[in-house]
Amino acid sequence: MNHPLHAKFGIWDLHCHLLGIPGRTPEEKMAGLLEIADRHQIERLCLFFSSTWAKNPTADELRTDNDYVIQAMSHWSDRVLGFCYVSPEHVEASLDEVERCVVNGPMVGIKLWVAQRADAGELDAIIDKASKAKAVIFQHTWFKQDGTQTPGESTPLHLAALARRFPDTHFICGHAGGQWELGIRAIRGLPNVSVELAGSDPTAGFTEMAVRELGASRVIFGSDAAGRSFASQLAKVYGAAISDSDRQAIFRDNLRTLVLGTGKIKA
Amino acid sequence: MIDTNVYLERWPFRRLTADDSEQLVATLKALGITQAWAGSFDGLFHRDIGGVNERLSQKCRESDDGFLIPFGTVNPTLPDWEDDLRRIDEEFQMPGIRLHPAYHGYMLDDSRFAELLRFANDRSLAVQLVVGMEDERTQHTLHRIPSVDLSPLKAVLKEVGGTQIMILNAFRSVSVAQAVELTLDTSIHFDIAMLEGIAGAGKLIESLPAERIVFGTHAPLFYPDSAILKLIESGLPEAILLKLKAENAANWLANR
């Protein structure tokens, strides 16, 4: 079984969870995820919360989730990059977690999910601290057409409002808003925002539009495994009508540049 | 490799890189696909179904070496749909039909659906049934199409008997448990275009007989690379992959 472009590019995956992976411990689940990542020659992957799945986590749940990620990545520091779960509903606890997990710990970034929208003023202190720590900042975004948008769930427009308040800080627009034709438009005027390709169907044209409207340097590959397959998300880059140099930038180089900026890995 | 799930013509909401049939064929061949079963995007909304199927037939005939195999549209809510079925069989000599109940506004417990299956059986036409075309969260504001509810299907098949049926794009809304239930006492097959989750194909055959799963890309709406990479990701042995890639689809069509 083969794909014409398989193994031709270095690949880093921005977005993984340990959801539904067999294993008794975080380390065992991590090993299981990496074994499947190896089938696609994925070199490194970023791990987001994988324990409580709390949409409005308490301060304790934030710590629980971050401990779980640190434990999962502990045996694979050469391949797994951790992201610290934070919430604007618990500013002080989140600042403590950034200090513990990023400034003094092994993690390279922060993950914001759906507790509050990204334009909430409470986020400013967290972004300020994460930015000073040079952390990679990831915000989940979706424009949902079917009425399932949760009250605290950001669209790319909410992230755009935040990015305007922090013009010198780089943000990643997770999922490109799901409805990527809207999400790409929402952030295209903001050079400090990149889009991530993860977590939606492999609809043709997504990557081509992102590259056309933003430039390949603002597009980052992620899968949202294990809820999604690596396969359907890799297809967005393998299958796009773009140059191989753009493919390489999206698959690895853009994320690598951001992570190198944290000082947590060596060139 | 047989791709059971491709479309010709234009997706109404977006231009696609491979929505020209020559480009689509070239793309699929470059990925190692040797035959593709094609429906028509026009069949979703057009009401001149005779014209839709005539164009589909013509485009497939123009494809070299029989690469594209047409699956005609029938909408049983339209007057004289029976003649569309007759033409699919007698004039266009297609091996099967592709149904879009959600787009044509009927449920599977509608008596017209059972009647359509009977007519298809009488003509030995294979039947593909499409559960959905895209994620409901990403549909156009003015276009809200729910996924097909498959729960009446087994009862209808029992009543009609003998239909060779394949479900396309099931796994966005159909659980594996529901798929397993649907395969019991039927010959239902499923494609993998909307199967998700890590190593999903490998996990699926832990529950579903490998003989009931076929390869489908949903191109050109989806990047066809996705389904191929799912097989790579599955970790399945080559003997099973051969079934999924071509054998099951070929057998399914031969048994109609």
Side-chain angles (χ1 to χ4, degrees):
Chain A
M1 197 66 219
N2 209 348
H3 180 280
L5 297 179
H6 218 219
K8 194 174 172 185
F9 301 94
I11 301 173
W12 289 18
D13 185 339
L14 171 61
H15 191 157
C16 294
H17 303 270
L18 296 176
L19 175 69
I21 304 286
R24 293 166 301 170
T25 64
E27 293 94 328
E28 285 185 8
K29 290 175 187 284
M30 194 70 246
L33 186 67
L34 286 168
E35 183 189 332
I36 298 169
D38 286 343
R39 296 173 190 169
H40 297 294
Q41 287 84 47
I42 295 171
E43 297 168 346
R44 289 193 186 226
L45 50 82
C46 300
L47 185 63
F48 294 176
F49 59 80
S50 298
S51 176
T52 73
W53 289 94
K55 290 182 175 173
N56 295 85
T58 63
D60 284 344
E61 286 173 327
L62 291 174
R63 280 189 289 274
T64 298
D65 267 310
N66 292 329
D67 285 344
Y68 192 96
V69 169
I70 288 171
Q71 189 178 342
M73 61 190 285
S74 59
H75 292 187
W76 291 276
S77 59
D78 57 332
R79 291 193 66 188
V80 181
L81 303 161
F83 274 61
C84 175
Y85 191 19
V86 293
S87 164
E89 291 187 319
H90 303 284
V91 173
E92 287 305 317
S94 294
L95 295 175
D96 289 346
E97 285 300 276
V98 173
E99 183 73 17
R100 179 175 77 96
C101 301
V102 181
V103 176
N104 297 321
M107 293 188 173
V108 299
I110 64 168
K111 157 86 182 222
L112 290 153
W113 196 23
V114 296
Q116 270 191 34
R117 290 175 173 170
D119 60 347
E122 292 87 337
L123 257 178
D124 286 5
I126 298 170
I127 298 302
D128 187 55
K129 184 168 183 73
S131 184
K132 285 175 179 158
K134 303 188 185 309
V136 181
I137 301 172
F138 179 98
Q139 170 69 61
H140 162 103
T141 68
W142 258 90
F143 280 113
K144 289 179 178 166
Q145 191 60 46
D146 65 344
T148 58
Q149 194 103 19
T150 60
E153 190 167 19
S154 300
T155 71
L157 291 168
H158 298 119
L159 177 60
L162 176 64
R164 285 190 191 96
R165 294 207 298 273
F166 290 88
D168 297 324
T169 299
H170 197 86
F171 296 87
I172 299 173
C173 180
H175 311 295
Q179 294 192 64
W180 41 268
E181 287 141 318
L182 309 185
I184 291 166
R185 292 172 64 91
I187 59 87
R188 72 180 166 189
L190 295 159
N192 58 326
V193 183
S194 298
V195 293
E196 181 226 29
L197 301 176
S200 57
D201 284 344
T203 44
F206 181 176
T207 310
E208 289 92 332
M209 179 181 173
V211 169
R212 185 184 74 232
E213 295 295 326
L214 308 176
S217 65
R218 289 172 61 194
V219 184
I220 298 175
F221 167 72
S223 67
D224 209 0
R228 290 276 176 177
S229 59
F230 289 122
S232 60
Q233 310 305 304
L234 289 164
K236 294 173 181 173
V237 187
Y238 279 132
I242 57 175
S243 68
D244 278 356
S245 62
D246 285 351
R247 245 185 279 278
Q248 185 58 77
I250 294 166
F251 264 146
R252 181 187 63 194
D253 295 353
N254 297 334
L255 175 58
R256 187 169 176 271
T257 298
L258 291 175
V259 176
L260 280 171
T262 68
K264 297 280 185 179
I265 64 166
K266 292 176 183 169
Chain B
M1 193 149 43
I2 297 176
D3 185 347
T4 62
N5 182 0
V6 308
Y7 283 82
L8 305 187
E9 306 300 346
R10 296 283 199 278
W11 175 242
F13 304 101
R14 182 182 306 129
R15 285 304 303 270
L16 305 167
T17 308
D19 61 14
D20 168 82
S21 60
E22 286 183 23
Q23 179 63 45
L24 176 64
V25 168
T27 300
L28 296 175
K29 285 186 173 180
L31 292 169
I33 292 163
T34 53
Q35 186 180 98
W37 300 356
S40 173
F41 284 137
D42 286 350
L44 300 175
F45 292 114
H46 290 212
R47 289 174 289 191
D48 174 12
I49 298 299
V52 169
N53 288 331
E54 185 176 50
R55 290 192 298 278
L56 177 66
S57 175
Q58 180 66 26
K59 287 265 176 71
C60 289
R61 263 195 236 107
E62 288 168 1
S63 76
D64 58 347
D65 55 35
F67 182 86
L68 292 172
I69 306 296
F71 276 66
T73 297
V74 182
N75 178 351
T77 71
L78 296 176
D80 198 27
W81 59 264
E82 296 89 341
D83 198 56
D84 289 324
L85 197 72
R86 181 194 63 76
R87 288 193 227 178
I88 283 170
D89 179 27
E90 296 177 10
E91 293 184 20
F92 306 131
Q93 298 181 335
M94 298 178 182
I97 58 176
R98 187 172 293 177
L99 304 179
H100 299 91
Y103 282 75
H104 294 162
Y106 62 93
M107 309 290 279
L108 301 192
D109 55 6
D110 188 314
S111 60
R112 292 170 294 189
F113 175 61
E115 193 175 2
L116 170 52
L117 294 187
R118 279 194 201 92
F119 275 56
N121 284 350
D122 290 346
R123 294 183 174 277
S124 297
L125 290 166
V127 178
Q128 293 186 316
L129 192 155
V130 183
V131 173
M133 295 294 288
E134 59 176 333
D135 186 339
E136 289 175 40
R137 296 174 298 176
T138 64
Q139 290 177 342
H140 191 280
T141 313
L142 300 177
H143 159 79
R144 306 292 307 284
I145 309 289
S147 299
V148 174
D149 176 9
L150 295 179
S151 52
L153 182 58
K154 275 190 85 168
V156 177
L157 291 176
K158 190 174 179 184
E159 174 195 334
V160 172
T163 305
Q164 193 67 357
I165 195 159
M166 178 180 289
I167 312 292
L168 303 182
N169 299 341
F171 292 109
R172 164 159 297 287
S173 57
V174 176
S175 69
V176 172
Q178 191 181 2
V180 169
E181 168 60 23
L182 282 166
T183 57
L184 299 175
D185 306 319
T186 71
S187 61
I188 290 175
H189 287 52
F190 293 90
D191 91 318
I192 63 166
M194 286 196 180
L195 179 65
E196 273 298 347
I198 197 161
K203 288 180 184 166
L204 188 62
I205 69 158
E206 291 172 7
S207 304
L208 216 58
E211 292 73 19
R212 300 298 187 89
I213 305 166
V214 297
F215 177 78
T217 65
H218 200 33
L221 187 53
F222 282 7
Y223 293 113
D225 312 67
S226 170
I228 289 167
L229 293 163
K230 284 175 187 174
L231 296 184
I232 293 172
E233 185 170 314
S234 72
L236 290 168
E238 188 58 28
I240 301 289
L241 290 176
L242 286 172
K243 291 177 188 286
L244 271 56
K245 286 194 287 190
E247 287 178 14
N248 294 343
N251 290 338
W252 179 83
L253 197 56
N255 288 335
R256 73 185 191 275

